[in-house]
Amino acid sequence: MNTLKTVLLMTVLMVFFVFVGGLIGGRNGMYIAFGIAFAMNIFSYWFSSSIVLKMYGAKEVTEAEYPALHRLVRNLATRAHIPMPKVCVMQSATPNAFATGRNPQHAVVAVTTAIMGILSEDELEGVLAHELAHINGRDILIGTVAATMAGAIMMLADMARWAAIFGGGHSSDDENNSNPLGMVGMIVVSILAPLAATLIQMAISRSREYRADEEGARLCGRPLSLASALDKISKGVAYHPMEEAKPATAHMMIMNPFSASGMLNLFSTHPPVEERIKRLREQARGMR
């Protein structure tokens, strides 16, 4: 199912690129956009996880530097029957964590310095179990590809906006380069594209987070520890939102790195933390 979702996302990205390329440059623009989309899909599969790690300044750490963190990850990986992922740490005052990589053999778990400072060992183990559940479920690739897709869609919105400003949407006398929608079409795309990127992230993220919560709680054996961790992380993010976070990669985090409340929660890439905690408490009662 996750492989199918990845293929679908890549297809949507390619179709979107071709459509906007047609708006900007007619048929020739469609051909160019097709080539760019194909190259971006290949690039995102092999290199997007490295880009995300560099984006957040996540540095790989050794067992000598963080022995407790490595021990927790190794124990959980053994229970999950997956290879030991690389362990990275981000220097950040905001508590958060994410996993990335195209498959379990090339997986990375990254945590912020803040999350290690506010969580107990049991709570941190619950967070790491959540991230390893993403790895074990083989759905970190789709999150990484989605991050690349969202960034690409934002870029397309800017391209369409600038093309409209400088007259790129006017019809051409050449039939191959004619653009029936013209400037109006590009303006509409520049407005709707960021919304489309948000909807894509919401669609793929919310169900994945619920599943990772459930599987992670089962993996560590303590749903209440994960519930407590989510409560602390949520309060930490509300107090100190992650300044270095990017909207295109927000869905990869265990908690939305941006502070949001009220109507903004409807457009969050993550389910409401209250509902996640409620489900974990119900899971704990069921396990007892």
Side-chain angles (χ1 to χ4, degrees):
M1 180 57 68
N2 282 314
T3 300
L4 180 61
K5 287 180 181 179
T6 302
V7 172
L8 179 61
L9 278 171
M10 289 182 172
T11 302
V12 171
L13 174 61
M14 186 167 294
V15 170
F16 198 90
F17 254 97
V18 171
F19 173 71
V20 177
L23 288 180
I24 297 174
R27 187 175 299 176
N28 289 339
M30 292 175 65
Y31 295 149
I32 294 173
F34 180 86
I36 294 174
F38 183 81
M40 286 193 68
N41 282 327
I42 298 298
F43 183 84
S44 66
Y45 179 82
W46 289 102
F47 302 110
S48 56
S49 60
S50 299
I51 294 174
V52 172
L53 292 171
K54 289 181 180 179
M55 185 184 300
Y56 287 99
K59 304 294 184 181
E60 185 175 359
V61 294
T62 65
E63 188 168 3
E65 293 173 302
Y66 289 88
L69 182 60
H70 271 262
R71 172 172 51 80
L72 291 173
V73 174
R74 181 178 294 104
N75 290 342
L76 290 169
T78 300
R79 291 183 216 167
H81 305 291
I82 61 174
M84 171 72 176
K86 293 181 180 179
V87 179
C88 291
V89 171
M90 301 173 279
Q91 296 293 328
S92 175
T94 306
N96 227 315
F98 69 88
T100 186
R102 61 182 182 271
N103 55 41
Q105 287 71 37
H106 299 86
V108 181
V109 174
V111 298
T112 65
T113 49
I115 202 173
M116 291 186 289
I118 69 171
L119 299 186
S120 68
E121 185 167 299
D122 285 349
E123 291 167 340
L124 181 58
E125 185 180 35
V127 169
L128 294 171
H130 170 101
E131 298 306 331
L132 263 67
H134 280 310
I135 297 172
N136 199 26
R138 298 178 181 271
D139 58 6
I140 52 176
L141 171 61
I142 193 171
T144 305
V145 172
T148 304
M149 174 182 292
I153 291 176
M154 298 294 185
M155 182 185 71
L156 285 174
D158 289 336
M159 288 173 57
R161 190 177 301 113
W162 283 107
I165 292 174
F166 289 104
H170 291 299
S171 297
S172 170
D173 294 333
D174 184 356
E175 181 180 354
N176 289 336
N177 294 315
S178 62
N179 178 10
L181 298 181
M183 185 180 298
V184 174
M186 283 191 290
I187 292 175
V188 171
V189 168
S190 70
I191 295 173
L192 295 182
L195 178 61
T198 300
L199 292 176
I200 289 172
Q201 292 183 75
M202 286 172 57
I204 66 173
S205 180
R206 292 198 170 200
S207 62
R208 289 172 61 248
E209 291 304 318
Y210 282 134
R211 189 202 64 80
D213 283 345
E214 180 181 354
E215 294 298 324
R218 187 175 294 113
L219 181 61
C220 72
R222 290 184 297 274
L224 294 182
S225 293
L226 178 54
S228 176
L230 292 177
D231 182 55
K232 288 184 178 180
I233 296 170
S234 175
K235 292 175 180 176
V237 171
Y239 177 76
H240 198 297
M242 185 177 282
E243 296 179 356
E244 62 271 31
K246 309 297 182 185
T249 56
H251 65 284
M252 300 180 67
M253 301 285 181
I254 191 172
M255 187 72 62
N256 191 332
F258 306 107
S259 180
S261 60
M263 288 295 293
L264 291 178
N265 277 326
L266 296 177
F267 298 95
S268 173
T269 55
H270 291 65
V273 65
E274 296 81 7
E275 179 62 24
R276 295 173 69 180
I277 292 173
K278 176 184 175 183
R279 294 190 181 198
L280 286 168
R281 288 173 176 168
E282 291 174 351
Q283 183 177 355
R285 286 194 293 268
M287 291 174 67
R288 286 198 297 267

